[in-house]
Amino acid sequence: MRELLEPLRGVVVWLMDVTAVPVLAYFVLINTSYLVLILLGALDFRSYLRGRKTVVDTLGGELTPGVSVIVPAHNEEAGIVTSVKALLSLRYPGHEVVVVDDGSTDATFARLREAFDLVELPRDVPQDIPVRARVLGQYVPRDGRTRLIVVRKENSGRSEASNVGVNAATEPLVAMIDADSILEPDALLRVAKPFADDPTRVIATGGTIRPVNGCRVVAGRIVSVGMPRPWMPRIQVVEYLRAFLVGRTGWSRFGGLILISGAFGLYRRDTFVEAGGLDPDSIGEDFELVLRMHKLMREAKADYRVEFVPEPVSWTEVPSTFKVLRNQRRRWHRGLWETLWQYRGMLFRPRYGKVGLVALPYYWLFELVAPLLELYGIVIVPIALVLDAINVPFALLFLALAYGYAIFVTLAAMTLEEWAFHRHSRWRDLGVGLVCSVLENFGFRQLTVWWRLEGWWASLRGKKQVWGVMTRTGFNEEAS
Amino acid sequence: MTGAPVTLLAATLVFAACLALAVVLVLTKVGRETRRRRRAALVAPLRPHLIAVSAGEDEGPARSTLVAAEGPSRRAVTGAIADLLGKVRGLPAEHLVEVLDRHGALESAMADLRHSSPVRRAQAAQLLGVSRVPDAVDSLVVALQDKAGEVRSSAAYALGLIGDPRAAAPLLAAVGAPGAGLPAGLAADALLGMGVGISGALGDALSDPDPRTRTVAAHVCGIGSFTRALPCLRERLALDPDLTVRETCAQALGSIGRADDVEVLARHTEASQPLPLRRVCAEALGQLGEDAAVSTLAALLRGPDPRLAEIAATSLVRLGPCGRAALDAASDERPVQSALTVASLQGVLR
Amino acid sequence: MEVSTPEGTRVLVADDDADIRELVEFKLSQAGYAVQAVPDGLAAWEAFEANPPQLAVLDVMMPGLSGFDVLRKIRESDHPRVPVLMLSAKSRDSDVDTGFAIGADDYVIKPFSPRELLHRVNTMLSRARA
């Protein structure tokens, strides 16, 4: 037995000699970069807090542009009417809702027609963004007052449905949202504020998304914020805080935000159209669009801004089963890889400013490659330990720098949230969050590493992406 | 490989840092709760009096009690009154300001505009604004150039409440200051509170080098009916390098323009212009309400862009009988039919 | 002619802002109304259902259910004719339009005059009784 393992041991010793220090350095770097983003985010939160202490409420004031909320819907008969009613009742000085029925085979359209008493218009959709699928008709409510447009089209996928929606939209801003998200009543006001603050430069803003699992929802509104019971969504609550809330706030503060989630983004309609809309063939279509907009603006030498709004505005159901979570993470990573590859020409090019010189290299190094190196670490370190190729202190050091430091970063994000927004008012939620920040590193993190690599691998082998169905358990409408 | 003591030290450090942060997290929550309770406890005994004064149900005794507050409760009362002044108006508001004045809070707010903490500076500006202290205008104008954004915003908000037109020019300049500048929407709100005396400043601002300032000026001209700026608006619509500014000027001309603006707007519906601007101008022609616009709009009905054609049709509906005649002549066009359907649903057509 | 006496007339006040809530409660109680004040939309709706008041004063922006949501529910309830006065921080025309469109009887914008609010409440109630 010992003789058999000896050659393997030789390989492992050699591997550790060559890679141990670089791998450790990588983990220190990646966690430190998160920490830097968090500190940048903290600066942004500080001005937010100061703003709140000084109570100048400018939401919805002059210069707030009109918004068209685009809702692509495919077989959503169960929730579509509730969603549309909730969107219509958002507080905003002048918004319309554009529902695009993307060739539903269920009663989606029938439900809408009945609920809003729709009438067909003899209207053609402008081809501002070229669209392949045929539009079947446009409908508006008979009362002539409710600002709803329903467009029916042949099925051609979510991205193209959104593009049709933008074509049919009439307001200067377009909002891309998930139909089944729950929005705060003043979500649009908050996310549109950067446009009113800086009307000539802001081209896009992203809103914060938080998991709705565990919150109490009544009539499409969040009544109280809570932690979900199962551990998987619980961990995602903490994960969202770190990655989306604080991470993106940091990027926004730095001036290099390149990712606006498709679940809540607001764009200038003219820039959206000029960029060519969402790419129907892209898997990371939200990421791809924002990069394309950056490219367009930089090449035109335009003075422009892409901003992130850290206040919670949109609450969405996160996966609570392994199957759905796996699909989601595979898709995310595949979209990340394909988009980064597509825009590799922007890397290190000074003409693309912070995007080309900092943000994109960062995404390559720390978002794309991270799961690969992490997998290497979690495989090689235990093996090396068993084979006696490294000593216990080294394994401990690896654990401390890769995982302990990660916990520290998560805790920093949680502290910032508690400081600035404190949406979780219960002490128990805070306790659960603390436990999750540690627990995340045992199992959950390794699984996502594997899934992300699966997504990347699938793309490299040229496998066709299957979107997978997001099975929803429905909002917890009462109690808990 | 690495020595055991060093690695142990590193691991311990990371672990200790995590623990420390967890403690900070808990302390953040505890601290906020405690501060909130302490503030509430300070105000609590005086709260009935504050409510009575704010409700206008006070013959004097409640006010005297408030004036007599000392030390920390006096500071707490000042904060509470600043909040209340944003919520009530009329005689009760005047009584609240009187309490502030007797406390010397307004005087110290003037001094606080130069405090080292940006929060204090911003709160001071706010207090002077909600109390509508006219003497504060000069200092607030200086605060428009503060290095902290929230102080600039608070100063602008306060200047809007005080409403002195002398502040208009510096306010407009602050919008276009390098970097983040003063939020444009906030500036527009404030300018609209300053009355008719700002038309000169608006006219000048329309040729400011910064597009943000020009946008704010154009918007305020339209909303506030500053017709003296019409020549500048026309020029900006034609020549401005920024599309947003041009669109804002077109909208302003639509709301306050004269008969000769038909020609100006019509020129910008031509195919050589950017499509978004053409659409805005076609809408503005309808809003302007001059029959002279009919031929331009009628020509747009048969264009390749269904949106522009429908906007033109809707504008013709708004123009009344003359416009309707043009629509009848093009009734085979789908955009015309669509505009008429929408108009009848809205009850615009009898 | 005697204006109807407010004694014992029940008014529901919903506002998440404690200042406004206590102020309105105080002003209306001084005038003799029996006021029930609640801090959010859901509590307002529950209070309305449990014991419908003769008039409701609702803030627009509240956590959970908004004032507009509560107003819609009242208009769809068994007591759809209870007069409702909206009290809103924003003077946007669109908010006022929405309020009246879904059935508000009156609309007061903050900052407001408590005296004026009382007059409006008195008038609404005497009209409702007439």
Side-chain angles (χ1 to χ4, degrees), chain A residues 90-129:
Chain A
L90 288 177
R91 288 191 72 230
Y92 201 80
H95 73 291
E96 64 177 4
V97 175
V98 181
V99 179
V100 184
D101 176 13
D102 186 26
S104 295
T105 50
D106 68 352
T108 301
F109 179 70
R111 294 277 159 82
L112 286 169
R113 184 170 53 197
E114 192 194 355
F116 297 101
D117 195 8
L118 296 176
V119 206
E120 181 161 12
L121 284 184
R123 179 190 278 175
D124 299 313
V125 177
Q127 285 277 323
D128 289 4
I129 303 169

Side-chain angles (χ1 to χ4, degrees), chain B residues 254-345:
Chain B
S255 26
I256 63 168
R258 305 268 160 77
D260 20 333
D261 288 308
V262 170
E263 197 267 321
V264 181
L265 287 168
R267 209 176 328 129
H268 293 95
T269 61
E270 284 165 13
S272 58
Q273 301 291 337
L275 188 55
L277 182 66
R278 296 173 72 196
R279 290 173 177 166
V280 172
C281 288
E283 192 175 344
L285 281 171
Q287 207 189 351
L288 198 56
E290 294 286 339
D291 287 349
V294 170
S295 61
T296 305
L297 291 170
L300 293 174
L301 296 177
R302 298 185 192 274
D305 179 40
R307 167 70 41 72
L308 182 60
E310 186 169 335
I311 292 172
T314 306
S315 287
L316 285 167
V317 172
R318 295 181 69 174
L319 289 183
C322 256
R324 305 284 168 77
L327 288 173
D328 290 343
S331 60
D332 54 325
E333 294 287 337
R334 276 167 63 84
V336 173
Q337 293 163 4
S338 180
L340 289 172
T341 313
V342 171
S344 69
L345 291 177

Side-chain angles (χ1 to χ4, degrees), chain A residues 50 54 56 58 62 122-124 128 144 167-169 196-198 200-201 268-269 393 404 408 412 418 422 424-425, chain B residues 7 14 18 21 29 32 118 122 126 150 179 183-186 189 212 215 219 244 279 307 310 334 338 345-346:
Chain A
R50 278 184 187 166
T54 53
V56 179
T58 55
E62 286 298 330
R123 179 190 278 175
D124 299 313
D128 289 4
N167 281 342
D197 286 352
D198 194 345
T200 59
R201 294 193 298 180
R268 264 184 87 119
R269 187 182 183 279
F408 180 79
E418 181 59 39
H422 39 86
H424 288 271
S425 53
Chain B
T7 56
V14 171
C18 286
L21 205 51
K29 202 173 171 74
R32 195 183 46 251
Q126 296 258 327
E150 44 282 355
L186 178 65
D189 280 322
R212 291 169 290 175
T215 307
H219 181 83
T244 312
R279 290 173 177 166
R307 167 70 41 72
E310 186 169 335
R334 276 167 63 84
S338 180
L345 291 177
Q346 288 172 341

Side-chain angles (χ1 to χ4, degrees), chain A residues 57 59-62 89 91-93 145 185-186 216 218-219 221-223, chain C residues 42 46 60-66 69 72-73 88 90 92 94-95 101:
Chain A
D57 181 11
L59 288 181
E62 286 298 330
S89 69
R91 288 191 72 230
Y92 201 80
R145 186 166 46 78
D186 52 0
R216 189 168 167 223
V218 176
R221 290 273 164 80
I222 303 274
V223 174
Chain C
L42 196 61
E46 281 164 359
V60 176
M61 278 306 289
M62 289 185 284
L65 294 182
S66 79
D69 294 333
R72 276 194 202 94
K73 280 175 167 289
S88 160
K90 270 285 178 285
R92 298 298 304 198
S94 66
D95 269 3

Side-chain angles (χ1 to χ4, degrees), chain A residues 293-344:
Chain A
M293 287 174 122
H294 273 296
K295 190 162 184 280
L296 182 81
M297 294 318 253
R298 292 279 177 182
E299 284 171 4
K301 297 199 166 43
D303 189 7
Y304 73 102
R305 286 165 62 195
V306 175
E307 298 262 304
F308 184 74
V309 178
E311 268 175 283
V313 290
S314 170
W315 301 76
T316 194
E317 195 183 340
V318 298
S320 52
T321 67
F322 284 103
K323 196 173 155 230
V324 180
L325 188 68
R326 171 167 174 244
N327 268 332
Q328 183 195 49
R329 297 304 156 103
R330 281 166 54 141
R331 197 176 69 236
W332 282 1
H333 210 71
R334 183 175 181 163
L336 177 75
W337 154 246
E338 291 184 0
T339 310
L340 285 177
W341 182 249
Q342 188 182 345
Y343 288 91
R344 62 191 182 279

Side-chain angles (χ1 to χ4, degrees), chain A residues 201 203 251-252 254-258 271 274-275 289-306 343 345-346 349-360:
Chain A
R201 294 193 298 180
I203 58 163
W251 278 115
S252 173
F254 173 71
L257 183 66
I258 55 173
T271 316
E274 203 186 335
L289 174 71
V290 179
L291 266 186
R292 188 142 37 93
M293 287 174 122
H294 273 296
K295 190 162 184 280
L296 182 81
M297 294 318 253
R298 292 279 177 182
E299 284 171 4
K301 297 199 166 43
D303 189 7
Y304 73 102
R305 286 165 62 195
V306 175
Y343 288 91
M346 287 172 79
R349 296 270 299 275
R351 72 184 299 198
Y352 298 113
K354 289 173 178 170
V355 174
L357 295 177
V358 184
L360 278 174

